[in-house]
Amino acid sequence: MSSFTDVRCVVFDLDDTLWPCEPTILNAENALYEWLGDNYSKITNRYSLQEIRNHRQEYAVRNKNISHDVTALRLGSLEELALQFAYPKSMAHEGLALFRRYRNKVVFYDDSLSTISALSKKFQIGAISNGNADIEAIGASHYFDFFITAEQAGAAKPDIEIFEYAQQKTSFSYDQLLYVGDHPSIDIVGANQSGWRSIWFNPNQNPWPELGTEPDAQIQKLSELLNLL
């Protein structure tokens, strides 16, 4: 087990690290689809929810310059659908706003906020996310000293650029920064390649994949951080 005595700042991934992501996104997508059906039914008469997801994925392939920005991708896909069915462009912005309201209705893991609160007494606390959760809208911004999104950084994990962008928000060197995340390649490899320390949040106790690098530690519950650090 690695020593973390030099760590001064603990930075968290959000989705599937502080809360389960899939039910949150499904709830938001269902709400958006229902809203489209009520207000712009030509779209839902033509496309199922899965087909709208497929459309967004195809849009991402065609717009690689914004592939790091999930909000821009969703907005652009909705704008294309509005154009296809001769609806006003405002439909896309209204739909995105509705989606984001539901996207920020998260249910934290039981020990997430209590663990972060306890750690904040000793460490600077941050978050880095590729997604478009908004910790201020969620009501959790007071737990964090800073919050970085891929949209802000202009790059997404595991790109070194987003970790460098986050490091500039602190007064610490890379080896004093610890990243906690659930995804082996996006979170852990990204942090390791950027010179950060890393802890893999692995509640299902999955085997570590062969990625040429390993986390400094693994945990099954976030509250384990209190003993490790």
Side-chain angles (χ1 to χ4, degrees):
M1 183 69 68
S2 298
S3 170
F4 297 98
T5 55
D6 293 334
V7 170
R8 297 293 179 268
C9 177
V10 183
V11 184
F12 292 89
D13 171 50
L14 297 181
D15 291 322
D16 288 327
T17 297
L18 300 188
W19 57 71
C21 180
E22 184 176 4
T24 304
I25 297 298
L26 287 177
N27 186 45
E29 288 187 337
N30 284 327
L32 174 59
Y33 191 76
E34 182 177 344
W35 176 81
L36 288 171
D38 290 341
N39 298 278
Y40 302 96
S41 59
K42 285 189 289 186
I43 295 176
T44 54
N45 288 340
R46 170 63 179 81
Y47 293 120
S48 67
L49 176 55
Q50 184 57 54
E51 287 170 332
I52 289 178
R53 292 189 187 115
N54 295 342
H55 180 274
R56 189 175 68 257
Q57 292 167 359
E58 292 164 3
Y59 180 86
V61 171
R62 291 185 277 110
N63 293 272
K64 294 186 184 299
N65 60 310
I66 57 170
S67 61
H68 63 280
D69 188 341
V70 294
T71 300
L73 291 174
R74 191 174 292 277
L75 177 62
S77 176
L78 287 170
E79 286 178 340
E80 279 198 348
L81 290 173
L83 180 63
Q84 179 182 348
F85 292 96
Y87 287 129
K89 196 173 182 179
S90 59
M91 181 214 84
H93 293 271
E94 293 172 9
L96 178 65
L98 179 137
F99 173 86
R100 296 200 69 175
R101 285 201 302 274
Y102 282 88
R103 197 268 184 264
N104 289 313
K105 293 181 178 182
V106 304
V107 179
F108 286 90
Y109 293 127
D110 290 343
D111 59 349
S112 295
L113 295 180
S114 60
T115 297
I116 292 172
S117 180
L119 290 174
S120 68
K121 296 177 173 60
K122 182 179 179 182
F123 302 97
Q124 189 176 38
I125 302 295
I128 304 175
S129 177
N130 284 355
N132 55 1
D134 183 338
I135 60 172
E136 185 171 352
I138 289 168
S141 59
H142 59 287
Y143 288 96
F144 298 87
D145 296 295
F146 62 89
F147 170 49
I148 304 299
T149 66
E151 179 182 359
Q152 291 172 327
K157 299 176 295 182
D159 197 310
I160 290 174
E161 287 184 30
I162 194 169
F163 289 95
E164 290 179 340
Y165 186 92
Q167 187 269 338
Q168 294 169 12
K169 300 295 183 181
T170 79
S171 58
F172 303 115
S173 60
Y174 290 105
D175 59 351
Q176 293 176 305
L177 303 173
L178 170 65
Y179 195 67
V180 181
D182 70 286
H183 199 285
S185 58
I186 292 175
D187 293 321
I188 304 306
V189 172
N192 288 359
Q193 290 179 343
S194 303
W196 293 41
R197 310 296 299 283
S198 64
I199 292 180
W200 184 29
F201 175 58
N202 181 24
N204 297 322
Q205 300 186 54
N206 295 319
W208 177 254
E210 295 297 328
L211 294 173
T213 183
E214 295 187 4
D216 293 291
Q218 296 187 31
I219 56 174
Q220 281 74 58
K221 291 181 64 67
L222 289 173
S223 55
E224 294 175 47
L225 291 170
L226 301 178
N227 290 328
L228 279 177
L229 305 178

